[in-house]
């Protein structure tokens, strides 16, 4: 993070602290509580950046290039299996984190042991069950960032891609890493579209340009694919890079001849660092500043309204009655905002019910398609022979359906929040300070559902096949043998033996077909039970998430209305309590002017900080030509 951003963070912390002291001194515990929540919300100034892409696309090597050294383990044949978050710190340290019931389990390890836990070298398919690893590094490019190296996606329906999609709503930016030797694939475009839809800044990073001389044509083709995808994909940046050149530059960095700097510029990593620090990290900083400044301005406006009204009433006692009457009408309107019949309340209740219905229908529809495809696949195979491949495939399809449903629910809750905020502001027009869109919908994380269990298929070995064949052949031998005895032959003769073999073979074949149909039916029942379990668990999580969103929005706007009503009540009381004595009135006027000057000074600082960040945000494009 730049020195300017550090100064803005200090200014922001000081501003919120002064505002909390001010509202506490003015006996507004409701505003003090709101600013305390704000203080905790703006404490984390690190922008979260996900590095995603297909297997062996060069994600980890790109992260190392950004960091300026080989901090994370790389291998030509072993892939990353555990998400690895890199953050700035005074000392280098590595912590492994595993989710357990009721919290998290953490384990510190040495940096040299990292490869044994986060790659296929010692943790194939993440058998250890680590949720992520956190690497602390004292490197300058990490300031203001949380850079997360993710496992290879392996297609949109793979488990790694599913976990990546679940992390998208909380990310500030997504680096989609693609090999410069080929065009963007359909799964990569789908992942980029999903990331852009939930509000993350998407940057397509082409890697290994040093190995592909035609990378410029690939970059142009990729830009065309992104532009044709429409909003919000149009205009997504495409950055060509070479991590190998950047790492070579780090090893040969000699300030005397400037070779390292030239190689870094040629590699494109310098431009990527600029985007991450000046745009992504600064963008998060700008959002923090705008949010905090707006909250401070709202608090200052509510406190200052009381003092302004009292000042006006004291300056012109004849207007006191009219001011009090206007305030009483405003109080009635503010009280109406808390009524259950208020339009924003109706919008929230109706919108939540619609969301519950739509999201549940979407989940069932997606999983019904998965069930249909699974049953069609079972009709063409023997589950006893293909279950090891079928089980993981079904799990991937179900996970992809649930994660897509989660992302769509996130988009819909954001839309509902904005609509409720709009109606709340319209209902309170004229009496409300500027109102934000309210809190974003909280992300939904589905509880884990066990892997699809294999049904207990009937064993059909050699001994059982022999018994079935003998049972079928018995009737043929006996029937034909009795008929041939009339011709003077024995009961066991070539004709009876042949008939027994034919009937025994037919019985065995028919029994095998019936057993296959039974196995297919049992497998289909297992699939339906598994999908029902997923619908039950994911549906419950969806409803819980939406109820939490509803309660959060209701509490947020109800609290805003209560704060406004309290401010108007205090203002009305101050307007009515006009002192008749001239000397006291003049002294009180002087006190009010002093208080208003202090509040205005705080408001001026908040506006200045917000405008500074806004002007800096317009100073540079996302990616330089």
């Amino acid at each position: 993070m730049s020195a300017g951003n550090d100064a803005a963070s200090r200014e922001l912390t000081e501003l919120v602290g002064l505002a909390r002291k001010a509202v506490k001194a003015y006996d507004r515990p409701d505003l003090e509580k709101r600013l305390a929540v704000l203080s905790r919300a703006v404490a984390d100034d690190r922008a979260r950046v996900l590095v995603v892409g297909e297997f062996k696309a060069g994600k980890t090597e790109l992260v190392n290039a950004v960091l300026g050294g080989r901090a994370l383990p790389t291998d030509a044949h072993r892939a990353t299996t555990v998400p690895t978050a890199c953050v700035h710190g005074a000392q280098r340290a590595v912590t492994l984190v595993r989710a357990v019931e009721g919290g998290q389990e953490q384990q510190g390890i040495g940096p040299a042991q990292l490869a044994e836990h986060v790659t296929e070298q010692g943790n194939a398919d993440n058998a250890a069950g680590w949720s992520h690893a956190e690497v602390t590094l004292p490197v300058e490019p990490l300031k203001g960032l949380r850079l997360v190296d993710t496992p290879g996606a392996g297609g949109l329906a793979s488990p790694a891609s599913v976990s990546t999609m679940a992390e998208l709503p909380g990310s500030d930016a997504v680096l989609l890493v693609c090999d410069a030797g080929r065009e963007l694939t359909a799964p990569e475009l789908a992942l980029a579209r999903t990331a852009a839809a939930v509000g993350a800044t998407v940057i397509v990073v082409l890697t290994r340009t040093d190995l592909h001389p035609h990378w410029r044509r690939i970059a142009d083709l990729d830009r065309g694919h992104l532009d044709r995808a429409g909003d919000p994909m149009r205009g997504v940046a495409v950055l060509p890079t070479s991590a190998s050149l950047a790492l070579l530059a780090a090893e040969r960095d000699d300030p005397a001849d400037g070779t390292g700097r030239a190689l870094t510029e040629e590699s494109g990593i310098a431009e990527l660092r600029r985007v991450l620090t000046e745009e992504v990290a600064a963008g998060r900083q700008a959002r923090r500043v705008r949010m905090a400044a707006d909250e401070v301005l709202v608090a200052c406006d509510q406190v200052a309204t009381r003092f302004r009204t009292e000042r006006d009433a004291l300056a012109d006692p004849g207007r006191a009655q009219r001011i009090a009457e206007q305030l009483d009408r405003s109080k009635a309107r503010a009280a109406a905002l808390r009524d259950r019949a208020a339009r924003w309340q109706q919008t929230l209740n109706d919108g939540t019910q619609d969301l519950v219905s739509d999201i549940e229908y979407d989940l069932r529809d997606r999983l019904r398609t998965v069930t249909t495809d699974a049953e069609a696949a079972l009709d063409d195979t023997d589950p006893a022979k293909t279950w090891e491949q079928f089980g993981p495939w079904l799990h991937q399809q179900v996970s992809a359906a649930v994660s897509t449903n989660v992302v769509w629910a996130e988009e819909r809750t954001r839309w509902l929040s904005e609509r409720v905020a709009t109606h709340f502001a319209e209902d309170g027009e004229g009496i409300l300070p500027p109102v934000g869109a309210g809190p974003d919908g909280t992300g939904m994380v589905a509880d884990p559902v066990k892997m699809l269990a294999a049904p207990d298929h009937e064993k059909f070995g050699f001994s059982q096949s022999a018994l079935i064949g003998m049972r079928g052949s018995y009737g043929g031998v006996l029937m034909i043998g009795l008929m041939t005895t009339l011709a003077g032959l024995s009961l066991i003769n070539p004709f009876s033996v042949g008939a027994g073999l034919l009937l025994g073979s037919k019985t065995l074949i028919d029994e095998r077909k019936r057993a296959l149909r039974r196995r297919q039916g049992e497998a289909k029942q297992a699939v339906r039970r598994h999908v029902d379990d997923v619908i039950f668990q994911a549906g419950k999580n969806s409803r819980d998430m939406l109820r939490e969103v509803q309660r959060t929005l209701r509490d947020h706007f109800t609290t805003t209305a209560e704060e406004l009503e309290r401010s108007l009540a205090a203002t009305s009381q101050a307007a009515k309590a006009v002192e008749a004595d001239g000397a006291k009135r003049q002294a009180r006027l002087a006190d009010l002017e002093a208080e208003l000057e202090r509040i205005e000074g705080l408001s001026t600082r908040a506006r200045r900080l917000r405008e500074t960040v806004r002007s800096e945000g317009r100073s540079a494009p996302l990616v330089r030509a």
Side-chain angles (χ1 to χ4, degrees), residues 200-215:
T201 300
V202 179
I203 303 171
V204 175
V205 181
L206 298 183
T207 58
R208 301 168 182 157
T209 57
D210 54 312
L211 299 179
H212 305 289
H214 59 283
W215 64 263

Side-chain angles (χ1 to χ4, degrees), residues 575-603:
K576 293 176 182 178
V578 178
E579 292 286 350
D581 184 82
K584 290 183 178 181
R585 185 164 59 248
Q586 292 301 321
R588 180 58 179 165
L589 278 171
D591 292 340
L592 291 173
E593 291 291 351
E595 296 294 347
L596 285 171
E597 185 176 350
R598 280 191 283 268
I599 296 172
E600 182 58 30
L602 192 61
S603 300

Side-chain angles (χ1 to χ4, degrees), residues 419-441:
R419 189 178 179 198
V420 171
T422 300
H423 288 178
F424 184 83
E426 290 174 353
D427 291 344
E429 185 177 3
I431 60 170
L432 280 174
V435 179
D440 292 335

Side-chain angles (χ1 to χ4, degrees), residues 306 327 331 563-575:
R306 169 190 169 186
L327 289 171
K331 281 172 55 182
E563 291 171 355
L564 181 62
E565 190 176 3
R566 179 167 179 172
S567 295
L568 291 171
T571 302
S572 178
Q573 186 177 10

Side-chain angles (χ1 to χ4, degrees), residues 356-526:
V356 170
S357 175
D358 291 347
I359 292 172
E360 185 172 355
Y361 173 81
D362 178 78
L363 177 65
R364 288 183 176 273
D365 182 62
R366 294 179 189 277
L367 291 178
R368 183 177 62 177
T369 302
V370 171
T371 303
T372 302
D373 294 341
E375 291 182 349
L378 290 172
D379 286 336
D380 298 331
T381 59
D382 184 353
K385 298 178 180 179
T386 62
W387 194 262
E388 290 185 359
Q389 295 79 31
F390 177 81
W393 172 83
L394 181 67
H395 180 67
Q396 291 175 8
Q397 299 301 313
V398 169
S399 299
V402 173
S403 63
T404 304
N405 180 261
V406 168
V407 173
W408 188 64
E410 174 77 16
E411 294 178 43
R412 290 292 303 274
T413 52
R414 288 174 183 267
W415 173 83
L416 178 61
S417 300
E418 293 172 359
R419 189 178 179 198
V420 171
T422 300
H423 288 178
F424 184 83
E426 290 174 353
D427 291 344
E429 185 177 3
I431 60 170
L432 280 174
V435 179
D440 292 335
T442 56
M444 180 177 67
V445 180
D447 291 342
V449 177
K450 293 181 180 179
M451 287 287 289
L452 177 64
D456 189 12
H457 296 303
E458 178 184 0
K459 303 299 182 183
F460 216 82
F462 174 77
S463 59
Q464 187 174 5
S465 299
L467 288 174
I468 293 172
M470 292 174 64
R471 186 171 64 244
S473 65
Y474 173 77
V477 171
L478 183 62
M479 180 176 62
I480 301 301
L482 288 175
M483 292 175 63
T484 55
T485 54
L486 298 177
L489 298 175
S490 63
L491 182 65
I492 304 299
N493 59 73
F495 297 103
S496 63
V497 171
L501 290 174
L502 289 174
L503 288 177
S505 299
K506 185 178 184 307
T507 302
L508 180 60
I509 292 172
D510 291 343
E511 185 61 28
R512 285 184 180 276
K513 289 181 179 179
R514 285 193 293 270
L516 175 60
R517 287 194 293 269
R518 282 198 301 271
R519 289 194 295 271
Q520 289 174 337
E522 291 169 356
K524 291 178 182 179
Q525 288 295 329

